C-alpha cells in the first residue's frame, strides 16, 4: 500500500489543497536539502549520478550500516517501468566498492555543497562514529521510489518485492 500524506492548516483545521510539482527537479531539490523527510538516518552521498547505461540516479544515500540507498523520483503517476529502473540502478550500485563510493561523495560535495569533504568526515559528523570502510556496501542496496501517484501495477510489484525480498 502506498503511503499517503496530507498537510493540514492549523489555523483553519482543514487539509490544505493539493498542488502540483512544476518539475521533477523541484522534488529532487526538496529531498536533497531535507533527506530527513524520507529518513532522518540517511546521508546523501550523491546526486544525478550517471550510470554506465547513461541514465542517472536522482539521489544516492548511505545509512549508518554502510548500506546504499537508491532514491528514484517521479513527479507524475509512476509507470510500472520505474520498478525495473530502480532495480537496474540497485544492481549497478551493488558493484560499487568503498573507493568508488568515496569518489562519488567527493564529487558530490564539490558540485552540490561547494566544498570538498571526504566521506569519512561526513559519516563521523552524521553518525558520531568513524566510518569502517569494510562496512560500505556490504549488505543490501535499498531502493526507494518517491512519486506523487502510483498506478496499481507498480504498487502491486513493489509490495510483492518488499514482502518477498
Amino acid at each position: 500500500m502506498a503511503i499517503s500524506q496530507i498537510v493540514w492548516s492549523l489555523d483553519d483545521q482543514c487539509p490544505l489543497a493539493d498542488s502540483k510539482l512544476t518539475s521533477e527537479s523541484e522534488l529532487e531539490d526538496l529531498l536533497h536539502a531535507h533527506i530527513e523527510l524520507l529518513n532522518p538516518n540517511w546521508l546523501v552521498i550523491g546526486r544525478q549520478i550517471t550510470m554506465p547505461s547513461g541514465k542517472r540516479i536522482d539521489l544516492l544515500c548511505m545509512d549508518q550500516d554502510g548500506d546504499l540507498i537508491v532514491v528514484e523520483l517521479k513527479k507524475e503517476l509512476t509507470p510500472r517501468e520505474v520498478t525495473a529502473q530502480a532495480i537496474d540502478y540497485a544492481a549497478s550500485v551493488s558493484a560499487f566498492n568503498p573507493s568508488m563510493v568515496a569518489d562519488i561523495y567527493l564529487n558530490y560535495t564539490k558540485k552540490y555543497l561547494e566544498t570538498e569533504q571526504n566521506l569519512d568526515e561526513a559519516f563521523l559528523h552524521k553518525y558520531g562514529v568513524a566510518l569502517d570502510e569494510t562496512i560500505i556496501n556490504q549488505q543490501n542496496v535499498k531502493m526507494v521510489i518517491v512519486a506523487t501517484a502510483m498506478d496499481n501495477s507498480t504498487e502491486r510489484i513493489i509490495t510483492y518485492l518488499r514482502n518477498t525480498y
Side-chain angles (χ1 to χ4, degrees):
M1 180 189 318
I3 296 172
S4 177
Q5 294 188 351
I6 299 173
V7 179
W8 287 80
S9 165
L10 295 179
D11 294 333
D12 299 331
Q13 298 182 354
C14 64
L16 295 177
D18 289 340
S19 64
K20 298 272 185 192
L21 292 170
T22 56
S23 69
E24 198 170 286
S25 65
E26 183 181 0
L27 178 59
E28 185 178 316
D29 289 343
L30 173 68
L31 292 175
H32 174 249
H34 300 285
I35 197 64
E36 68 275 6
L37 293 170
L38 295 179
N39 190 315
N41 294 315
W42 290 352
L43 170 67
V44 176
I45 63 167
R47 182 175 181 183
Q48 289 299 312
I49 300 167
T50 304
M51 302 308 295
S53 65
K55 295 189 176 189
R56 294 176 182 245
I57 296 175
D58 294 322
L59 296 172
L60 183 64
C61 300
M62 177 185 281
D63 66 18
Q64 61 194 19
D65 296 325
D67 292 340
L68 300 181
I69 303 104
V70 170
V71 180
E72 181 57 29
L73 308 172
K74 298 293 180 201
K75 80 173 190 85
E76 300 294 336
L77 179 69
T78 305
R80 61 189 279 161
E81 290 78 17
V82 75
T83 310
Q85 183 181 12
I87 292 170
D88 183 32
Y89 291 164
S92 294
V93 166
S94 70
F96 289 0
N97 64 41
S99 177
M100 293 169 74
V101 174
D103 287 346
I104 287 169
Y105 184 74
L106 187 60
N107 291 332
Y108 160 74
T109 63
K110 288 178 188 176
K111 185 171 182 176
Y112 293 102
L113 303 183
E114 299 175 3
T115 182
E116 285 188 37
Q117 182 182 33
N118 68 43
L119 185 57
D120 294 332
E121 294 167 348
F123 194 91
L124 179 62
H125 182 262
K126 175 77 177 176
Y127 302 115
V129 296
L131 175 59
D132 177 358
E133 183 178 290
T134 64
I135 70 166
I136 297 175
N137 206 20
Q138 294 301 307
Q139 299 294 316
N140 297 316
V141 175
K142 297 171 180 76
M143 300 168 280
V144 175
I145 299 170
V146 178
T148 55
M150 193 171 294
D151 68 17
N152 292 335
S153 178
T154 303
E155 190 170 339
R156 189 172 51 254
I157 293 166
I158 290 171
T159 300
Y160 170 77
L161 291 171
R162 182 182 56 225
N163 293 338
T164 305
Y165 301 100

